Amino acid sequence: MLRWTVHLEGGPRRVNHAAVAVGHKVYSFGGYCSGEDYETLRQIDVHVFNAVSLRWTKLPPVWTNSRDHVREVPYMRYGHSAVLIDDTIYIWGGRNDTEGACNVLYAFDVNTHKWFTPKVSGMVPGARDGHSASVLGKTMYIFGGYEQLADCFSNDIHKLDTSSMMWTLIPAKGTPARWRDFHSATIIGTKMYVFGGRADRFGPFHSNNEIYCNRIKVFDTETNSWLDSPPTPLLPEGRRSHSAFGYNGELYIFGGYNARLNRHFHDLWKFDPVSFSWKKIDPKGKGPCPRRRQCCCRVGDKIILFGGTSLCSPRNGNGAPVTQMHTANKQQAHEVSQSLLGVQFST
């Protein structure tokens, strides 16, 4: 059984940030919030949530001797990814209002809180944002996103072997997943499960004919093949900017947004890879209001969810109170949440 158990206010107000769980702590990197300056190359900010004390702290900025500290510490960005391998968090991709998209690999040592830029080789993916990053062993897989140089959606898969620091473009077999961004890709076992995201009806280029995929695509990392998927009778609505996580061999998704429906979601779904079927889950307790662009991390048997944008009113009684701001597209007034909620698995 699932139950919403924690509701805190006062954390970092962020959208399109990236976060990972390290033990009982959650490290959150960057993200966007209107009213802040994204036209300068200031250092990315790092907020840490302690799931035991239930407190947020912000790490102090890193002082370097180098004139060009951007090469050592990532600048502020949004739409990037973060993964944990051993004691290192790898930050990749994302964009800044001045520099555009980035394809430099940054590494953050969780023990010393020091940044460094590993020397990499091979075929480095093109700069992008809205991609996914997932981990199997010591390998990070990058899928999709919106490539800046090509000015189009991607459906390529790149992998980084962190033992050799070599990038490889995977020559995937089978029918690939559609070009997309702001999807999710979750590795369970040796397979990567891709769900949702924003795509274009006519191909990789954005023509304002958006579609939102709601069928799972499976990539087998052992055979480097996209697998054919059986039909499923029950499906969540297609969406982008949702959250996804694996637990006990099953995939969960939460929230997101569908522009064609003009709808934010706060539903929770579970996907069983064995039966290839979906089930809608209704946790007990008061959950979050509909939102997108939030972060979701698993700490033990708890799921920590925070940030994101929503059309909720600040006092709607439907979840987290939020403060009205403008989102990254600067076109529609949304509210950017600084609340944190937790959902716990129990028998």
Side-chain angles (χ1 to χ4, degrees):
M1 183 177 70
L2 284 166
R3 177 180 296 276
W4 294 105
T5 57
V6 176
H7 182 176
L8 299 176
E9 298 297 327
R13 186 180 282 111
R14 287 287 180 267
V15 302
N16 279 352
H17 42 310
V20 295
V22 182
H24 64 280
K25 295 180 179 179
V26 173
Y27 286 75
S28 177
F29 298 87
Y32 188 93
C33 186
S34 63
E36 296 186 359
D37 182 8
Y38 286 83
E39 296 181 357
T40 60
L41 296 184
R42 62 186 175 91
Q43 292 184 15
I44 197 169
D45 56 19
V46 184
H47 293 84
V48 183
F49 177 72
N50 187 314
V52 177
S53 65
L54 303 182
R55 292 182 181 274
W56 282 102
T57 57
K58 184 178 180 179
L59 298 186
V62 177
W63 299 103
T64 66
N65 295 323
S66 170
R67 292 181 180 178
D68 190 5
H69 69 273
V70 174
R71 295 184 181 276
E72 301 175 27
V73 183
Y75 48 77
M76 201 66 174
R77 64 192 60 202
Y78 47 92
H80 50 295
S81 59
V83 301
L84 175 69
I85 299 178
D86 295 330
D87 291 330
T88 304
I89 298 171
Y90 293 97
I91 304 290
W92 192 84
R95 66 170 50 251
N96 175 281
D97 289 349
T98 298
E99 290 292 301
C102 177
N103 69 342
V104 176
L105 180 71
Y106 293 93
F108 178 83
D109 188 311
V110 298
N111 296 312
T112 64
H113 290 177
K114 300 295 185 182
W115 288 99
F116 60 100
T117 51
K119 184 177 180 180
V120 298
S121 61
M123 187 174 292
V124 179
R128 69 192 67 194
D129 69 325
H131 57 283
S132 59
S134 49
V135 171
L136 179 60
K138 295 184 183 299
T139 300
M140 175 175 71
Y141 289 85
I142 298 292
F143 170 72
Y146 199 88
E147 293 192 60
Q148 177 169 284
L149 187 60
D151 195 20
C152 67
F153 298 106
S154 172
N155 67 347
D156 290 339
I157 303 176
H158 293 78
K159 70 176 181 179
L160 173 71
D161 183 340
T162 60
S163 297
S164 62
M165 283 298 160
M166 176 174 285
W167 283 104
T168 304
L169 172 63
I170 296 178
K173 300 182 285 290
T175 304
R178 182 180 286 271
W179 307 270
R180 66 185 77 191
D181 67 357
F182 293 104
H183 54 283
S184 62
T186 309
I187 289 183
I188 299 175
T190 58
K191 295 181 175 65
M192 180 173 71
Y193 294 83
V194 175
F195 176 80
R198 176 183 62 169
D200 192 274
R201 187 175 304 278
F202 301 111
F205 295 97
H206 195 200
S207 67
N208 290 320
N209 287 275
E210 294 182 356
I211 58 174
Y212 293 86
C213 306
N214 68 340
R215 295 188 178 275
I216 289 277
K217 285 290 292 185
V218 183
F219 178 75
D220 189 331
T221 63
E222 292 184 319
T223 62
N224 286 339
S225 300
W226 289 102
L227 306 180
D228 293 329
S229 303
T232 54
L234 179 66
L235 290 168
E237 293 279 5
R239 63 195 68 194
R240 67 174 172 90
S241 304
H242 55 284
S243 297
F245 59 92
Y247 184 81
N248 279 353
E250 294 177 308
L251 168 68
Y252 292 79
I253 65 163
F254 169 84
Y257 176 70
N258 184 311
R260 295 185 67 87
L261 301 175
N262 190 25
R263 184 180 171 193
H264 288 79
F265 298 96
H266 64 157
D267 49 353
L268 181 67
W269 290 77
K270 179 176 71 172
F271 176 76
D272 184 343
V274 177
S275 63
F276 219 86
S277 61
W278 287 97
K279 180 181 179 182
K280 192 172 186 296
I281 305 296
D282 294 307
K284 303 294 184 181
K286 181 187 292 186
C289 62
R291 64 184 64 197
R292 58 173 159 160
R293 298 172 173 172
Q294 68 279 346
C295 273
C296 187
C297 296
R298 184 163 70 89
V299 179
D301 62 353
K302 296 182 178 67
I303 306 302
I304 308 297
L305 183 150
F306 62 99
T309 58
S310 175
L311 288 173
C312 303
S313 62
R315 297 181 181 275
N316 62 2
N318 190 30
V322 287
T323 304
Q324 183 165 329
M325 302 288 288
H326 287 277
T327 57
N329 60 22
K330 303 184 182 71
Q331 294 174 349
Q332 185 178 13
H334 289 258
E335 290 136 7
V336 180
S337 177
Q338 60 179 150
S339 61
L340 178 145
L341 297 100
V343 62
Q344 183 165 357
F345 290 85
S346 60
T347 55

PDB file of all heavy atoms in Angstrom, residues 219-233:
ATOM      1  N   PHE A 219      13.932  -0.868 -24.562  1.00  0.00           N
ATOM      2  CA  PHE A 219      15.242  -1.066 -25.175  1.00  0.00           C
ATOM      3  C   PHE A 219      16.017  -2.089 -24.352  1.00  0.00           C
ATOM      4  O   PHE A 219      16.165  -1.946 -23.132  1.00  0.00           O
ATOM      5  CB  PHE A 219      16.022   0.248 -25.229  1.00  0.00           C
ATOM      6  CG  PHE A 219      17.392   0.106 -25.815  1.00  0.00           C
ATOM      7  CD1 PHE A 219      17.574  -0.047 -27.181  1.00  0.00           C
ATOM      8  CD2 PHE A 219      18.522   0.109 -24.994  1.00  0.00           C
ATOM      9  CE1 PHE A 219      18.840  -0.177 -27.725  1.00  0.00           C
ATOM     10  CE2 PHE A 219      19.792  -0.025 -25.525  1.00  0.00           C
ATOM     11  CZ  PHE A 219      19.948  -0.170 -26.889  1.00  0.00           C
ATOM     12  N   ASP A 220      16.508  -3.128 -25.010  1.00  0.00           N
ATOM     13  CA  ASP A 220      17.269  -4.187 -24.363  1.00  0.00           C
ATOM     14  C   ASP A 220      18.747  -3.851 -24.437  1.00  0.00           C
ATOM     15  O   ASP A 220      19.336  -3.814 -25.531  1.00  0.00           O
ATOM     16  CB  ASP A 220      16.991  -5.523 -25.064  1.00  0.00           C
ATOM     17  CG  ASP A 220      17.573  -6.712 -24.318  1.00  0.00           C
ATOM     18  OD1 ASP A 220      18.599  -6.546 -23.631  1.00  0.00           O
ATOM     19  OD2 ASP A 220      17.003  -7.818 -24.421  1.00  0.00           O
ATOM     20  N   THR A 221      19.383  -3.581 -23.297  1.00  0.00           N
ATOM     21  CA  THR A 221      20.781  -3.177 -23.285  1.00  0.00           C
ATOM     22  C   THR A 221      21.730  -4.336 -23.586  1.00  0.00           C
ATOM     23  O   THR A 221      22.897  -4.108 -23.925  1.00  0.00           O
ATOM     24  CB  THR A 221      21.163  -2.567 -21.924  1.00  0.00           C
ATOM     25  OG1 THR A 221      21.028  -3.565 -20.902  1.00  0.00           O
ATOM     26  CG2 THR A 221      20.274  -1.374 -21.595  1.00  0.00           C
ATOM     27  N   GLU A 222      21.253  -5.574 -23.454  1.00  0.00           N
ATOM     28  CA  GLU A 222      22.112  -6.730 -23.740  1.00  0.00           C
ATOM     29  C   GLU A 222      22.232  -6.984 -25.237  1.00  0.00           C
ATOM     30  O   GLU A 222      23.289  -7.394 -25.719  1.00  0.00           O
ATOM     31  CB  GLU A 222      21.569  -7.969 -23.033  1.00  0.00           C
ATOM     32  CG  GLU A 222      21.671  -7.903 -21.518  1.00  0.00           C
ATOM     33  CD  GLU A 222      21.225  -9.189 -20.851  1.00  0.00           C
ATOM     34  OE1 GLU A 222      20.214  -9.769 -21.288  1.00  0.00           O
ATOM     35  OE2 GLU A 222      21.898  -9.610 -19.891  1.00  0.00           O
ATOM     36  N   THR A 223      21.155  -6.738 -25.971  1.00  0.00           N
ATOM     37  CA  THR A 223      21.174  -6.974 -27.425  1.00  0.00           C
ATOM     38  C   THR A 223      21.210  -5.675 -28.222  1.00  0.00           C
ATOM     39  O   THR A 223      21.256  -5.708 -29.452  1.00  0.00           O
ATOM     40  CB  THR A 223      19.937  -7.784 -27.846  1.00  0.00           C
ATOM     41  OG1 THR A 223      18.755  -7.024 -27.537  1.00  0.00           O
ATOM     42  CG2 THR A 223      19.880  -9.114 -27.117  1.00  0.00           C
ATOM     43  N   ASN A 224      21.173  -4.536 -27.527  1.00  0.00           N
ATOM     44  CA  ASN A 224      21.116  -3.226 -28.192  1.00  0.00           C
ATOM     45  C   ASN A 224      19.971  -3.160 -29.191  1.00  0.00           C
ATOM     46  O   ASN A 224      20.123  -2.691 -30.324  1.00  0.00           O
ATOM     47  CB  ASN A 224      22.448  -2.896 -28.879  1.00  0.00           C
ATOM     48  CG  ASN A 224      23.538  -2.526 -27.893  1.00  0.00           C
ATOM     49  OD1 ASN A 224      23.251  -2.138 -26.761  1.00  0.00           O
ATOM     50  ND2 ASN A 224      24.783  -2.650 -28.310  1.00  0.00           N
ATOM     51  N   SER A 225      18.806  -3.621 -28.747  1.00  0.00           N
ATOM     52  CA  SER A 225      17.654  -3.702 -29.635  1.00  0.00           C
ATOM     53  C   SER A 225      16.425  -3.060 -29.001  1.00  0.00           C
ATOM     54  O   SER A 225      16.175  -3.221 -27.792  1.00  0.00           O
ATOM     55  CB  SER A 225      17.324  -5.159 -29.963  1.00  0.00           C
ATOM     56  OG  SER A 225      18.405  -5.801 -30.604  1.00  0.00           O
ATOM     57  N   TRP A 226      15.656  -2.336 -29.821  1.00  0.00           N
ATOM     58  CA  TRP A 226      14.308  -1.932 -29.428  1.00  0.00           C
ATOM     59  C   TRP A 226      13.380  -3.117 -29.629  1.00  0.00           C
ATOM     60  O   TRP A 226      13.382  -3.746 -30.690  1.00  0.00           O
ATOM     61  CB  TRP A 226      13.835  -0.746 -30.271  1.00  0.00           C
ATOM     62  CG  TRP A 226      14.526   0.542 -29.969  1.00  0.00           C
ATOM     63  CD1 TRP A 226      15.528   1.133 -30.690  1.00  0.00           C
ATOM     64  CD2 TRP A 226      14.268   1.402 -28.854  1.00  0.00           C
ATOM     65  NE1 TRP A 226      15.915   2.309 -30.099  1.00  0.00           N
ATOM     66  CE2 TRP A 226      15.152   2.508 -28.977  1.00  0.00           C
ATOM     67  CE3 TRP A 226      13.381   1.365 -27.783  1.00  0.00           C
ATOM     68  CZ2 TRP A 226      15.169   3.556 -28.056  1.00  0.00           C
ATOM     69  CZ3 TRP A 226      13.402   2.411 -26.864  1.00  0.00           C
ATOM     70  CH2 TRP A 226      14.273   3.478 -26.992  1.00  0.00           C
ATOM     71  N   LEU A 227      12.603  -3.441 -28.622  1.00  0.00           N
ATOM     72  CA  LEU A 227      11.748  -4.613 -28.664  1.00  0.00           C
ATOM     73  C   LEU A 227      10.339  -4.240 -29.109  1.00  0.00           C
ATOM     74  O   LEU A 227       9.855  -3.134 -28.848  1.00  0.00           O
ATOM     75  CB  LEU A 227      11.690  -5.277 -27.284  1.00  0.00           C
ATOM     76  CG  LEU A 227      13.033  -5.642 -26.652  1.00  0.00           C
ATOM     77  CD1 LEU A 227      12.815  -6.294 -25.295  1.00  0.00           C
ATOM     78  CD2 LEU A 227      13.841  -6.554 -27.565  1.00  0.00           C
ATOM     79  N   ASP A 228       9.687  -5.180 -29.768  1.00  0.00           N
ATOM     80  CA  ASP A 228       8.274  -4.989 -30.100  1.00  0.00           C
ATOM     81  C   ASP A 228       7.449  -5.154 -28.833  1.00  0.00           C
ATOM     82  O   ASP A 228       7.666  -6.075 -28.040  1.00  0.00           O
ATOM     83  CB  ASP A 228       7.833  -6.012 -31.151  1.00  0.00           C
ATOM     84  CG  ASP A 228       8.514  -5.782 -32.495  1.00  0.00           C
ATOM     85  OD1 ASP A 228       8.808  -4.607 -32.807  1.00  0.00           O
ATOM     86  OD2 ASP A 228       8.754  -6.765 -33.223  1.00  0.00           O
ATOM     87  N   SER A 229       6.494  -4.259 -28.635  1.00  0.00           N
ATOM     88  CA  SER A 229       5.700  -4.255 -27.411  1.00  0.00           C
ATOM     89  C   SER A 229       4.277  -4.721 -27.696  1.00  0.00           C
ATOM     90  O   SER A 229       3.661  -4.277 -28.668  1.00  0.00           O
ATOM     91  CB  SER A 229       5.663  -2.845 -26.801  1.00  0.00           C
ATOM     92  OG  SER A 229       6.972  -2.393 -26.548  1.00  0.00           O
ATOM     93  N   PRO A 230       3.743  -5.594 -26.846  1.00  0.00           N
ATOM     94  CA  PRO A 230       2.356  -6.031 -27.027  1.00  0.00           C
ATOM     95  C   PRO A 230       1.391  -4.902 -26.686  1.00  0.00           C
ATOM     96  O   PRO A 230       1.735  -3.976 -25.944  1.00  0.00           O
ATOM     97  CB  PRO A 230       2.224  -7.191 -26.040  1.00  0.00           C
ATOM     98  CG  PRO A 230       3.237  -6.902 -24.980  1.00  0.00           C
ATOM     99  CD  PRO A 230       4.376  -6.239 -25.676  1.00  0.00           C
ATOM    100  N   PRO A 231       0.165  -4.939 -27.205  1.00  0.00           N
ATOM    101  CA  PRO A 231      -0.832  -3.916 -26.861  1.00  0.00           C
ATOM    102  C   PRO A 231      -1.257  -4.051 -25.402  1.00  0.00           C
ATOM    103  O   PRO A 231      -1.239  -5.132 -24.825  1.00  0.00           O
ATOM    104  CB  PRO A 231      -1.994  -4.214 -27.809  1.00  0.00           C
ATOM    105  CG  PRO A 231      -1.833  -5.672 -28.154  1.00  0.00           C
ATOM    106  CD  PRO A 231      -0.357  -5.936 -28.158  1.00  0.00           C
ATOM    107  N   THR A 232      -1.603  -2.926 -24.798  1.00  0.00           N
ATOM    108  CA  THR A 232      -2.090  -2.923 -23.415  1.00  0.00           C
ATOM    109  C   THR A 232      -3.490  -2.316 -23.386  1.00  0.00           C
ATOM    110  O   THR A 232      -3.735  -1.280 -24.012  1.00  0.00           O
ATOM    111  CB  THR A 232      -1.157  -2.113 -22.501  1.00  0.00           C
ATOM    112  OG1 THR A 232      -0.985  -0.807 -23.047  1.00  0.00           O
ATOM    113  CG2 THR A 232       0.206  -2.776 -22.403  1.00  0.00           C
ATOM    114  N   PRO A 233      -4.430  -2.953 -22.689  1.00  0.00           N
ATOM    115  CA  PRO A 233      -5.824  -2.478 -22.708  1.00  0.00           C
ATOM    116  C   PRO A 233      -6.031  -1.162 -21.962  1.00  0.00           C
ATOM    117  O   PRO A 233      -6.901  -0.383 -22.315  1.00  0.00           O
ATOM    118  CB  PRO A 233      -6.589  -3.617 -22.025  1.00  0.00           C
ATOM    119  CG  PRO A 233      -5.570  -4.307 -21.164  1.00  0.00           C
ATOM    120  CD  PRO A 233      -4.274  -4.193 -21.903  1.00  0.00           C
TER     121      PRO A 233
END
